[in-house]
Amino acid sequence: MRKGICVCLLAVLILLQGTGVFAMEETEALSLLSQLGVMQGYEDGGLHPERNVSRAEYMAMLMRTLGFEEIAGTLAEERFADVPVTHWAAGHIRLAYDLGLTDGYDERHFAPEDQVTVNQVVKIMVCALGYGAAAEMRGEYPGGYLSQAEQLKLLKGITPGDSPATRGQIAVLLTNGLETEMLELRFTDGREAYAQGESTLLSILNVTIVEGLVDGVNGASVSGGRGFEENEVSIGGRRYETSVSDSTRFFAKMVKAYVREETDGEETVIYMTEKRQTDDSLVISADDLVPEECSLSELVFWDGDKERTQALDGSMTYVYNGGAVSTAQLSSSLFDIESGSVSLYDTNGSGSFDLAVIWDYETLAVTSVSRGVIYGRFGKRLDTEDKGIGSIRLERGGKAVTVEEIASDDVLWIAKSLDGKYVSVLASEKAPVTGTLEMIDEGEPAFYTIDGERYQVSESYLQAAADDADGYERIGIGDGGMFLLDCSGKIAAALPADMEESRTGDTRYGYLTAMETGDGIGGAVRFKIMTEDNRFETFEIPGDSRIEFGRLVGGNYTKASMTGEGIFG
């Protein structure tokens, strides 16, 4: 019922509960409404959530939300003197007025360029959903409308008031109302009455919501089966076409997808957002798990300061780092994760969890990148061009990046499926911390205090210290240095101040005591030198880097250079 809109002048008291919603962030709401064709961007490509909105602009947004864009374009009759038929929003304003959703300041003036206030957009939205009469019975404007909007859960993320409404605020309001069941005027036994119908703003736009696990994208499939085209995605085992750019970022994640039915009957996913924790899900971070007490029958974890258990169904499906886990691969060791999370979902509405999605990331603090190989501290590395990898995704802040965009001192989280065919790499957005180490708390978890601020120390860095791993440099209390932070803000590596100063150039001075090369062409070359202050330092460079060194030839000191590969060639 595309035109089931009720005029808000009828005084009928109906108190109905709206559907529960979670407020989106402003930018996310704007992105969704942009894909729905409700809100448009600017010439610079931005959605600008901070900009105020005029009365004319809001009428246009609302008419698009109600599916009346084409009808508004056909209305050419002038209603207000200050809105001539040549005004870009004349049709939207006239239609909104005819539907009883808005008024002018008087019979002849609408003031289309005046800024619309938050309270005004809330009132008009309540009326558009059919609840205007119910709001009037609750009290005068704005109180009655705000009360009704609160009951319909339209105000999540919104602060009412007479201040100008921004694009971001309006986007959140419209998004909150997308799934609200609209009141429709019906005739029963010759009498008019309002009743909740089957229409929502989403149904008017021919859009439905699908929730489930993204189990297939271009280049990757949880089952390891047939691949997907660039414009395809599989959710809960069902294949869809998609217009979502970079949909691979949702792989092996639970999503809320907005699916539009096209005129030819095909269904297209136009927007996806990662599903938030709800009553049918449980997300446990690696920090809260108690792996030594976990089993395939129950998880043990901390909820605040209380230890809790969660029973696991024997028939549960497991997905580990983007790949399905076979019966033979099932083990409680799946829950012994360094960084990441275990997420449990009830996908079939049975009231019990039937799907476990595990993300287990190892940490790599980058030293250099060469020929697709990312070299890290403590002897770690990742060859992004390894032929055994079927699909690899690198991202920073939810956006795909290339290997060339990874740099020294980046900190990566790396997750590999059990068969090694899928690799997910997250680059930390946390800036390094430079300062003096003032205190070390060796508890569980361990913390460093740097210039008065406490930072948790990652398990990977503690392990490197315990193993005295290649490249590990001890920093003591009172020492200055640079501390690299992982995706969760934990310390992943630390460089003493003197070492950090030496890194301003690529020169190392000292006596070479040992060196070795990794396997394969372009493998890393590791050097161990005794520095000028009688410390031993181990460092690693890509095999194709050029090394300058000095040596005695016939009693004369001579400088020479060659690549790391050439030394062993």
Side-chain angles (χ1 to χ4, degrees):
M1 304 229 355
R2 296 179 62 86
K3 301 181 179 59
I5 297 178
C6 307
V7 178
C8 57
L9 300 178
L10 299 178
V12 180
L13 175 60
I14 304 176
L15 305 179
L16 295 173
Q17 182 67 41
T19 56
V21 295
F22 292 92
M24 281 187 174
E25 296 291 338
E26 291 185 359
T27 301
E28 187 180 4
L30 276 166
S31 297
L32 168 60
L33 295 179
S34 174
Q35 294 302 312
L36 292 174
V38 171
M39 300 187 80
Q40 301 169 348
Y42 289 83
E43 292 182 358
D44 64 0
L47 293 171
H48 294 290
E50 77 287 352
R51 292 189 179 179
N52 295 335
V53 175
S54 69
R55 286 164 55 85
E57 288 174 322
Y58 182 54
M59 292 304 104
M61 295 172 188
L62 191 63
M63 291 302 99
R64 296 187 196 113
T65 305
L66 293 169
F68 288 145
E69 177 72 357
E70 291 186 9
I71 296 176
T74 65
L75 298 179
E77 183 180 346
E78 181 178 296
R79 176 62 186 80
F80 297 102
D82 56 356
V83 186
V85 293
T86 55
H87 191 283
W88 70 270
H92 302 96
I93 294 170
R94 175 59 191 262
L95 184 55
Y97 176 82
D98 288 346
L99 291 171
L101 301 180
T102 188
D103 293 310
Y105 286 107
D106 56 43
E107 285 295 315
R108 296 296 295 158
H109 296 91
F110 183 78
E113 306 310 321
D114 281 6
Q115 293 177 346
V116 66
T117 70
V118 176
N119 284 347
Q120 288 170 348
V121 300
V122 171
K123 174 188 176 181
I124 296 171
M125 182 66 172
V126 168
C127 289
L129 291 172
Y131 293 86
E136 290 285 350
M137 296 297 291
R138 287 174 174 264
E140 296 181 356
Y141 171 83
Y145 290 91
L146 294 177
S147 174
Q148 185 65 50
E150 181 69 31
Q151 186 188 29
L152 295 173
K153 301 183 180 179
L154 300 179
L155 298 183
K156 289 184 177 293
I158 300 293
T159 301
D162 290 322
S163 59
T166 65
R167 285 171 56 84
Q169 291 172 318
I170 290 176
V172 171
L173 175 69
L174 293 176
T175 302
N176 288 346
L178 288 178
E179 298 176 61
T180 301
E181 292 183 356
M182 302 173 69
L183 289 189
E184 299 174 357
L185 185 61
R186 295 181 178 179
F187 294 88
T188 304
D189 297 329
R191 293 182 301 173
E192 295 182 349
Y194 278 126
Q196 274 186 319
E198 298 179 356
S199 293
T200 65
L201 294 177
L202 279 181
S203 68
I204 288 174
L205 297 170
N206 293 323
V207 173
T208 57
I209 289 177
V210 173
E211 296 183 351
L213 180 74
V214 176
D215 48 26
V217 294
N218 179 233
S221 171
V222 167
S223 65
R226 186 168 70 89
F228 295 80
E229 299 296 329
E230 190 171 351
N231 65 334
E232 290 182 325
V233 64
S234 177
I235 303 174
R238 182 173 178 179
R239 188 181 296 248
Y240 298 90
E241 289 191 1
T242 180
S243 59
V244 176
S245 61
D246 194 22
S247 59
T248 58
R249 70 184 184 275
F250 295 105
F251 179 60
K253 296 177 182 177
M254 291 293 291
V255 300
K256 182 176 185 178
Y258 293 79
V259 182
R260 181 174 60 211
E261 182 178 352
E262 308 293 353
T263 54
D264 60 1
E266 294 294 325
E267 294 181 317
T268 301
V269 175
I270 61 173
Y271 190 81
M272 286 190 288
T273 182
E274 193 169 352
K275 191 177 178 182
R276 297 173 172 85
Q277 182 165 331
T278 58
D279 292 339
D280 59 0
S281 67
L282 174 64
V283 180
I284 307 170
S285 72
D287 288 341
D288 293 329
L289 278 172
V290 186
E292 62 272 16
E293 297 183 27
C294 292
S295 68
L296 294 177
S297 60
E298 71 173 12
L299 289 180
V300 182
F301 60 99
W302 289 99
D303 183 4
D305 59 355
K306 295 182 179 180
E307 189 173 277
R308 287 184 53 193
T309 62
Q310 174 61 54
L312 301 178
D313 193 292
S315 60
M316 180 171 288
T317 298
Y318 290 86
V319 176
Y320 178 87
N321 288 348
V325 180
S326 67
T327 302
Q329 294 171 322
L330 283 176
S331 167
S332 60
S333 64
L334 292 173
F335 305 121
D336 188 8
I337 60 180
E338 176 183 316
S339 301
S341 63
V342 176
S343 301
L344 306 178
Y345 300 98
D346 173 12
T347 64
N348 54 21
S350 64
S352 60
F353 298 124
D354 55 87
L355 172 66
V357 178
I358 302 170
W359 286 102
D360 180 12
Y361 296 97
E362 63 174 307
T363 305
L364 186 152
V366 180
T367 56
S368 59
V369 181
S370 177
R371 296 184 180 179
V373 181
I374 302 173
Y375 297 94
R377 305 182 191 285
F378 319 134
K380 297 182 179 181
R381 56 180 277 177
L382 172 65
D383 185 353
T384 63
E385 297 180 0
D386 186 337
K387 293 183 179 179
I389 299 176
S391 178
I392 184 169
R393 174 179 171 80
L394 292 84
E395 69 175 69
R396 191 193 307 269
K399 297 182 179 180
V401 296
T402 64
V403 176
E404 290 73 23
E405 293 176 89
I406 303 299
S408 175
D409 296 336
D410 272 340
V411 178
L412 309 180
W413 273 4
I414 303 171
K416 298 180 181 179
S417 60
L418 292 176
D419 60 8
K421 292 183 178 179
Y422 179 74
V423 177
S424 173
V425 181
L426 306 181
S428 175
E429 295 184 276
K430 309 292 185 182
V433 175
T434 302
T436 301
L437 179 59
E438 298 174 336
M439 183 180 297
I440 298 177
D441 180 351
E442 296 182 345
E444 293 185 6
F447 285 87
Y448 282 179
T449 299
I450 305 166
D451 290 347
E453 295 291 332
R454 277 167 58 89
Y455 297 88
Q456 187 174 336
V457 184
S458 70
E459 288 295 327
S460 65
Y461 184 57
L462 292 174
Q463 191 62 53
D467 296 341
D468 193 22
D470 286 346
Y472 170 73
E473 292 288 337
R474 181 183 178 278
I475 295 184
I477 294 177
D479 293 340
M482 182 172 75
F483 303 83
L484 308 182
L485 305 183
D486 67 15
C487 296
S488 62
K490 298 176 188 174
I491 295 174
L495 305 178
D498 55 350
M499 182 177 177
E500 169 58 19
E501 290 168 4
S502 73
R503 282 160 24 86
T504 56
D506 293 328
T507 303
R508 296 287 194 275
Y509 293 102
Y511 292 96
L512 180 64
T513 61
M515 63 182 178
E516 63 179 5
T517 183
D519 296 330
I521 297 174
V525 179
R526 296 185 183 91
F527 296 86
K528 189 172 185 179
I529 64 174
M530 186 175 71
T531 63
E532 295 170 299
D533 56 356
N534 296 320
R535 292 189 304 110
F536 284 94
E537 178 181 344
T538 301
F539 61 96
E540 180 178 275
I541 65 171
D544 58 344
S545 296
R546 183 159 293 276
I547 306 160
E548 294 187 0
F549 57 94
R551 58 181 175 174
L552 289 174
V553 179
N556 297 314
Y557 184 79
T558 303
K559 288 186 176 181
S561 68
M562 64 175 62
T563 65
E565 295 169 353
I567 294 175
F568 294 91

